[in-house]
Amino acid sequence: MARPVFIVDGSRTPFLKARSGPGPFTPVDLAVQCGRPLLARQPFSPDSFDQVILGCVNVIADEMNPARVAALRLGMGEDMVAFTVQINCGSGMQSIDTAYRYIREGHADMVLAGGTEALSHAPLVWPNSGVRWFAGLATAKGMAAKLASAFKLRPRDLKPIIGLERGLTDPVTELNMGQTAEVVGHLFGITRAQSDAYAAESHRRLAHAQSAGYLKGEVETAFSRDGKFFDHDDGVRPDSTAETLAKLRPVFERPWGQVTAGNSSQITDGASWVILASDAAVAKHKLTPKAAIVDSHWAALDPGIMGLGPVMSVTPLLKRNDLTLKDVETWELNEAFATQVLGCLAAWNDDKFCREILRLDGAAGEIDRERLNVDGGAISLGHPVGTSGNRIVLHLVNAMKRLGTRRGIATECIGGGLGGAMLIEAV
């Protein structure tokens, strides 16, 4: 029989907006910054875990298998099994889901599952012509051949390609993620005014959560090597309004597009961890669970409309557990783009879409906006790709505890045409 799986604790770094050049922390640095205080407050030693699983998309060359590097730096022991998972935006949630299944099936009792990403460290890549030039120069025999090869260099061979820009472009449809949000917005008639209003509300909610202390115990202060400290998500703009956001130009589809820098998720660095445990581990270490993972579901769809991934993953999850949208009291739907979030809400409320695509008897209904992303989301705090799926689960658990709600869902769209969803219940 499947065993219950509990989330007993978790923490994350502040999400730091990428500006010019690499930020103060690498992916593993970030994982260690929030991992140390998390492990330090546990009633067991760091080597008590069965394994470590970490989501990361932009792995840097100096940190191959960042899960293992982080585990060693966290003092979890040389015999700690640790591996890295990558499913684009879903990587941080995939780490939790993998740990959940290991524990549920009896293969582990306690797992540290996380996500980390330093998008400011995304590489610049040489064009293929430049790579071929370097290869020719390296393999040329003799001084004459090397000089001949050197003179073949053209300025375009040295023009770098922004790795992050290529990484956020689908290799099959050749649409970047912002363009896929435009497609979803067009399909469901989402207006620019609606998107800007949603984005402004995201900033307002995060600013309120910060000032009210709702993130205390979730966000750990990070300290850089030069002595600076970072204690809050620094991308929040409390003064944002729909009117000020309306002045920004579309980024991806000029001049008529809906998606701007103001109503899109921010490019940030950040990490997050959660501790998952079986009932046996809870009893052994006298832990107090915060919530239980009930079920999870992954779905796939056309990459050109990847923004609808939450709809495609949540709907079967609800069906399997005999639930409706209204039965879920608290929602975390990752804010990749305001237009995309609003497109998902519109899809669930569209009778034709629900009948023809979701195979429902009619429209699924509406999600009360007061239950959705109650403390803001990626538009206001950022979207470090490999981390966000972990953060929304962690924050969902904490928000449910604060609000006294019983049931919640964390869900996200995933680049490449995927979606992930996780059903959580309070204990």
Side-chain angles (χ1 to χ4, degrees), residues 135-200:
L137 183 64
T139 57
K141 304 295 184 182
M143 183 59 68
K146 286 188 179 294
L147 287 173
S149 180
F151 281 117
K152 294 179 181 179
L153 178 66
R154 299 293 180 267
R156 65 175 180 272
D157 298 334
L158 299 180
K159 182 179 180 181
I161 299 168
I162 300 174
L164 181 60
E165 182 178 321
R166 297 305 305 150
L168 296 177
T169 300
D170 186 82
V172 176
T173 64
E174 296 187 355
L175 296 175
N176 62 48
M177 297 300 101
Q179 289 173 313
T180 69
E182 293 280 13
V183 173
V184 169
H186 176 74
L187 288 173
F188 292 97
I190 307 302
T191 67
R192 169 71 185 274
Q194 289 174 316
S195 297
D196 288 341
Y198 182 94

Side-chain angles (χ1 to χ4, degrees), residues 221-420:
T221 301
F223 299 88
S224 63
R225 296 184 182 186
D226 61 1
K228 294 181 180 178
F229 70 92
F230 306 85
D231 61 359
H232 67 281
D233 306 308
D234 66 2
V236 62
R237 298 186 296 274
D239 57 346
S240 290
T241 65
E243 291 72 26
T244 58
L245 292 175
K247 298 176 182 179
L248 300 177
R249 296 177 61 190
V251 176
F252 304 103
E253 294 292 338
R254 295 177 179 173
W256 310 115
Q258 312 298 324
V259 181
T260 71
N263 58 38
S264 304
S265 57
Q266 301 180 40
I267 297 173
T268 50
D269 299 350
S272 173
W273 291 107
V274 295
I275 296 174
L276 283 76
S278 67
D279 50 359
V282 167
K284 177 181 178 181
H285 299 293
K286 296 181 175 59
L287 305 175
T288 303
K290 291 187 174 184
I293 300 176
V294 178
D295 199 0
S296 62
H297 190 85
W298 301 87
L301 67 163
D302 182 340
I305 50 172
M306 70 93 197
L308 295 176
V311 178
M312 306 306 294
S313 56
V314 166
T315 304
L317 183 64
L318 293 175
K319 282 184 180 180
R320 189 162 61 238
N321 290 276
D322 196 25
L323 299 171
T324 67
L325 293 176
K326 291 184 178 180
D327 293 322
V328 181
E329 301 156 290
T330 313
W331 292 82
E332 282 290 322
L333 196 164
N334 191 46
E335 297 173 352
F337 304 93
T339 302
Q340 166 263 326
V341 174
L342 295 173
C344 288
L345 302 184
W348 270 313
N349 205 32
D350 186 282
D351 186 81
K352 183 178 180 181
F353 180 87
C354 289
R355 288 181 184 275
E356 295 182 2
I357 306 301
L358 301 180
R359 301 290 186 254
L360 300 177
D361 294 332
E366 297 184 18
I367 295 178
D368 184 348
R369 290 282 293 277
E370 294 304 311
R371 299 182 175 190
L372 174 68
N373 298 341
V374 295
D375 297 319
I379 289 172
S380 51
L381 62 85
H383 178 22
V385 180
T387 307
S388 291
N390 200 276
R391 183 202 72 82
I392 62 174
V393 173
L394 171 62
H395 189 68
L396 175 66
V397 169
N398 291 336
M400 288 171 60
K401 187 174 180 63
R402 185 182 86 236
L403 299 172
T405 55
R406 178 190 170 207
R407 188 180 290 122
I409 284 181
T411 184
E412 59 191 331
C413 62
I414 300 171
L418 299 167

Side-chain angles (χ1 to χ4, degrees), residues 8-54:
V8 298
D9 204 353
S11 69
R12 68 174 178 90
T13 67
F15 281 12
L16 307 177
K17 188 174 180 180
R19 291 179 171 85
S20 57
F25 306 105
T26 68
V28 170
D29 288 339
L30 291 162
V32 171
Q33 287 287 333
C34 59
R36 280 180 177 152
L38 174 63
L39 297 183
R41 66 177 179 241
Q42 304 309 315
F44 51 80
S45 62
D47 61 1
S48 299
F49 289 90
D50 295 298
Q51 57 188 4
V52 175
I53 308 172
L54 184 65

Side-chain angles (χ1 to χ4, degrees), residues 99-116:
Y100 158 65
R101 295 173 189 274
Y102 271 116
I103 295 172
R104 185 187 66 178
E105 302 304 321
H107 301 299
D109 280 304
M110 202 158 58
V111 179
L112 181 63
T116 190

